[in-house]
Amino acid sequence: MQITILVGTMHGNASSVAQALQFCADDIGATIDVLPMDGLDITVFDQPGTFIICTSTTGVGDVPDNAQALFHSLDAQAKYLGHVRYGLVALGDSSYGDSYLGGGKQFDERLRDLGAQRVGEICGLDAMETSQPEDDAVAWLKAWAVQLATAG
């Protein structure tokens, strides 16, 4: 199983989570590549395999700066992504209210609009609740991999 983790981050927290997930590749029988979103566009979804969007939230629910080009290409270069299956790891701070996990939720909404299929529930990592987001994300990955395998 090939998984590509696309990382949107401002301060490196999403990168740390993505690396923790990559270290678990053998545990779930997968090959996991981590790819920062810097300079990417919608064509990244042309490569084979499954994706995990791992992104923080900035501002008032926005995607991080390094994810802006990819996010905007989902509109500017919009095409049907029915072949894409993905999971979502969204980092945020619940003290921000309605914008909590906004970066991840924006990606989720747009990808689904284009026909991509999210597997499983969103892994929401709340800075107010956990000091070890990597551990929570790894637990999510193991459960998600089972769902992915049974989702066909």
Side-chain angles (χ1 to χ4, degrees):
M1 175 170 44
Q2 172 63 46
I3 299 171
T4 302
I5 303 177
L6 303 176
V7 183
T9 190
M10 288 290 287
H11 303 293
N13 294 337
S15 294
S16 295
V17 168
Q19 287 175 340
L21 296 178
Q22 186 178 34
F23 289 140
C24 294
D26 288 345
D27 296 346
I28 63 167
T31 301
I32 299 178
D33 295 321
V34 174
L35 192 58
M37 291 186 194
D38 305 72
L40 297 180
D41 64 21
I42 196 170
T43 61
V44 72
F45 294 109
D46 293 343
Q47 63 186 335
T50 304
F51 296 87
I52 295 175
I53 306 297
C54 181
T55 185
S56 60
T57 300
T58 188
V60 288
D62 300 317
V63 299
D65 290 349
N66 81 313
Q68 290 286 333
L70 175 57
F71 182 72
H72 291 300
S73 77
L74 297 177
D75 282 327
Q77 299 171 271
K79 62 182 178 179
Y80 182 64
L81 296 177
H83 65 284
V84 173
R85 295 190 314 158
Y86 70 98
L88 178 64
V89 177
L91 290 79
D93 183 328
S94 61
S95 70
Y96 283 85
D98 290 344
S99 65
Y100 174 58
L101 304 179
K105 288 178 179 178
Q106 285 190 57
F107 266 107
D108 186 48
E109 181 179 335
R110 191 65 192 122
L111 286 169
R112 290 169 68 141
D113 284 348
L114 295 173
Q117 300 171 332
R118 186 182 79 224
V119 175
E121 295 301 314
I122 295 171
C123 175
L125 301 174
D126 185 354
M128 294 293 290
E129 302 253 332
T130 182
S131 59
Q132 297 295 327
E134 294 86 357
D135 293 345
D136 293 350
V138 165
W140 170 87
L141 176 70
K142 291 177 180 179
W144 179 80
V146 171
Q147 289 180 300
L148 183 63
T150 59

